[in-house]
Amino acid sequence: MGSVHEVIVDLGERSYPIRIGSGVLAEVGTWLARQPGAPQVLIVTNEAVNSRWGEALRSSIKAAGLAVETVAIADGEEHKNLATLSMLYDRAIAMRLERSATVLALGGGIVGDVAGFFAATYMRGTGFVQVPTTLLAQVDSSVGGKTAVNHQAGKNLIGAFYQPQAVFIDTDTLSTLPKREVAAGYAEVVKTAMLGDAELFQLLERDQEKLLALDPAVVATVVARCCAVKARVVGADERERGLRALLNLGHTFGHAVEALTEYRRYKHGEAVAIGLVAACRLAETVLGLNRAVTERVTLLLTAAGLPVSFPCFARSAWSGALQLDKKVAHGNVLFVLVRAIGDCVLSRQIPLENAIDVIMELQEKSS
Ligand SMILES: NC(=O)c1ccc[n+]([C@@H]2O[C@H](COP(=O)([O-])OP(=O)(O)OC[C@H]3O[C@@H](n4cnc5c(N)ncnc54)[C@H](O)[C@@H]3O)[C@@H](O)[C@H]2O)c1
Ligand SMILES: O=C(O)C(=O)C[C@@H](O)[C@H](O)[C@H](O)COP(=O)(O)O
Ligand SMILES: [Zn+2]
């Protein structure tokens, strides 16, 4: 095993380590065996990930003397719903999974969000460990304890805050990830740099190609920096009373894109990419953000092949979708605005019409 980065999410007695590096998957069994009472272990994954990385994880667990079961859920955002969750409850009950069990989420953000909500609710809460295998899950979704499924009307509308007890990020797992998924994860990297790490943004401007080609040293550095930003924000505001909403940069727009296109046309990261450009444009109009910032962000995203234009829907459809955001309070939508690279602010003062104007301006030109 090469060098391992460790980041701690500091939440008092619920603090947990994030282990980042090549070969970290092999540590999972030993970690589990150190937990009190040799837990039953359930891996929640999907077939695409299971066929590539399931055996390596199971070997580590079995070598530590523990029994392990695996359940695969269907692949795709359109299956991140209550039906999938219901299937998991049925399978867990049939296999007599006990509350003392540990659920391992092996996969991308969808597996992580669904498995996490399952772990939070099955018998009122089992153990939970994240083993993320997409760039997006490694830089963002495996950390911080947001778990959820979608409702047809809106993203992540049914969920819970439920922190993992540990996160094992084996960067080797990215070797089998399709290019489109690498790019989607990259959008959350750009987001993280924009909201909290200006040096990371410069690193991306310099080493973007190396990151997208999954150069091991660049990947490890970028994943560790993103986890450090997320750990800092989550440690300060676990339940999104305020500051944590910064991690939602681009998402007020992005989630509306996903819901209106029925979770089928865009990967989450792609919808976020569109949202990031919109958040910059909105900041240009209401904060006087320099257009050059929007251009730098757009360049990073388009160079990775990410979309930066909205699909075409009527103003009324955008209005309805934006108002279903979980950050809405007393009917006012909360927007995350870019003040400068590495520095974002929250505002509830933006008229919804201004945001919809930006969407209209950035809508795809129909051919
Ligand atoms: N909880 C959070 O804080 C948080 C943060 C960001 C995103 N999310 C959620 O995460 C989801 C998106 O996650 P995602 O981008 O990882 O998508 P995903 O989970 O759909 O994974 C992307 C695709 O890659 C495949 N895959 C995963 N790992 C692989 C590997 N190593 N090799 C080959 N194929 C692999 C999957 O089967 C899937 O087809 C969205 O639902 C989003 O809302 C949650
Ligand atoms: O961890 C957070 O907080 C985030 O907002 C991270 C986002 O990248 C992620 O997509 C999250 O699931 C969105 O949360 P939601 O509360 O807007 O559903
Ligand atoms: Zn996201």
Side-chain angles (χ1 to χ4, degrees):
M1 200 183 305
S3 68
V4 173
H5 298 256
E6 183 164 291
V7 174
I8 303 289
V9 182
D10 185 356
L11 291 167
E13 60 186 21
R14 290 177 297 112
S15 296
Y16 56 92
I18 308 168
R19 304 272 300 161
I20 303 156
S22 158
V24 155
L25 207 64
E27 294 182 1
V28 176
T30 336
W31 183 91
L32 284 165
R34 281 204 310 266
Q35 303 310 300
Q40 284 175 296
V41 181
L42 173 65
I43 298 175
V44 176
T45 184
N46 67 30
E47 272 317 326
V49 180
N50 192 30
S51 63
R52 293 166 169 99
W53 300 101
E55 217 33 62
L57 183 58
R58 280 186 288 276
S59 300
S60 160
I61 297 163
K62 287 179 192 159
L66 297 170
V68 53
E69 301 268 6
T70 302
V71 177
I73 64 172
D75 206 345
E77 188 76 42
E78 68 274 26
H79 299 292
K80 184 178 153 179
N81 57 25
L82 285 172
T84 297
L85 206 54
S86 181
M87 179 279 285
L88 280 178
Y89 296 133
D90 291 348
R91 294 285 300 274
I93 291 165
M95 68 177 67
R96 304 219 179 288
L97 194 79
E98 297 176 3
R99 176 190 285 176
S100 59
T102 297
V103 173
L104 304 185
L106 175 70
I110 292 177
V111 162
D113 281 12
V114 174
F117 189 57
F118 167 74
T121 49
Y122 180 74
M123 295 200 177
R124 300 202 186 93
T126 67
F128 179 43
V129 170
Q130 289 268 18
V131 188
T133 63
T134 62
L135 181 62
L136 182 140
Q138 298 192 349
V139 299
D140 191 346
S141 64
S142 62
V143 175
K146 272 191 181 176
T147 74
V149 294
N150 302 327
H151 187 276
Q152 208 182 343
K155 262 295 275 201
N156 300 335
L157 291 189
I158 304 146
F161 288 99
Y162 197 65
Q163 298 294 339
Q165 295 161 281
V167 182
F168 292 93
I169 299 182
D170 191 332
T171 47
D172 294 349
T173 59
L174 300 180
S175 62
T176 56
L177 196 62
K179 279 195 173 12
R180 183 175 173 192
E181 302 298 345
V182 175
Y186 177 74
E188 298 274 23
V189 175
V190 174
K191 174 202 81 172
T192 305
M194 288 168 69
L195 72 92
D197 189 345
E199 264 181 42
L200 174 59
F201 195 91
Q202 283 162 11
L203 185 154
L204 297 177
E205 291 186 315
R206 197 180 59 237
D207 283 339
Q208 180 186 43
E209 278 179 30
K210 287 188 189 160
L211 176 60
L212 293 172
L214 300 178
D215 175 287
V218 176
V219 168
T221 303
V222 167
V223 172
R225 285 190 89 116
C226 289
C227 288
V229 171
K230 190 146 185 191
R232 172 161 51 79
V233 175
V234 169
D237 177 23
E238 182 187 5
R239 290 184 166 244
E240 202 170 288
R241 309 283 186 223
L243 181 81
R244 183 169 182 164
L246 292 175
L247 296 172
N248 235 246
L249 175 62
H251 285 63
T252 316
F253 293 105
H255 282 172
V257 168
E258 290 187 84
L260 285 178
T261 54
E262 297 175 355
Y263 308 109
R264 289 172 195 276
R265 175 170 169 191
Y266 298 95
K267 306 277 166 193
H268 173 72
E270 294 169 347
V272 169
I274 300 170
L276 291 176
V277 175
C280 289
R281 284 293 296 138
L282 190 58
E284 279 184 45
T285 61
V286 299
L287 293 181
L289 176 73
N290 192 321
R291 171 63 66 95
V293 172
T294 312
E295 283 166 1
R296 283 170 75 193
V297 169
T298 306
L299 191 61
L300 277 188
L301 298 170
T302 51
L306 287 161
V308 290
S309 304
F310 284 87
C312 291
F313 289 95
R315 288 184 81 94
S316 56
W318 289 112
S319 172
L322 289 168
Q323 288 181 81
L324 265 172
D325 190 89
K326 290 181 294 309
K327 301 186 298 304
V328 169
H330 309 292
N332 296 318
V333 180
L334 181 72
F335 285 98
V336 189
L337 298 172
V338 184
R339 227 169 11 195
I341 296 295
D343 178 19
C344 291
V345 281
L346 303 172
S347 175
R348 242 180 238 297
Q349 314 301 324
I350 316 291
L352 197 58
E353 291 308 312
N354 289 26
I356 300 174
D357 286 346
V358 164
I359 293 175
M360 292 295 133
E361 176 210 326
L362 292 175
Q363 254 180 195
E364 286 164 343
K365 310 283 172 270
S366 49
S367 48

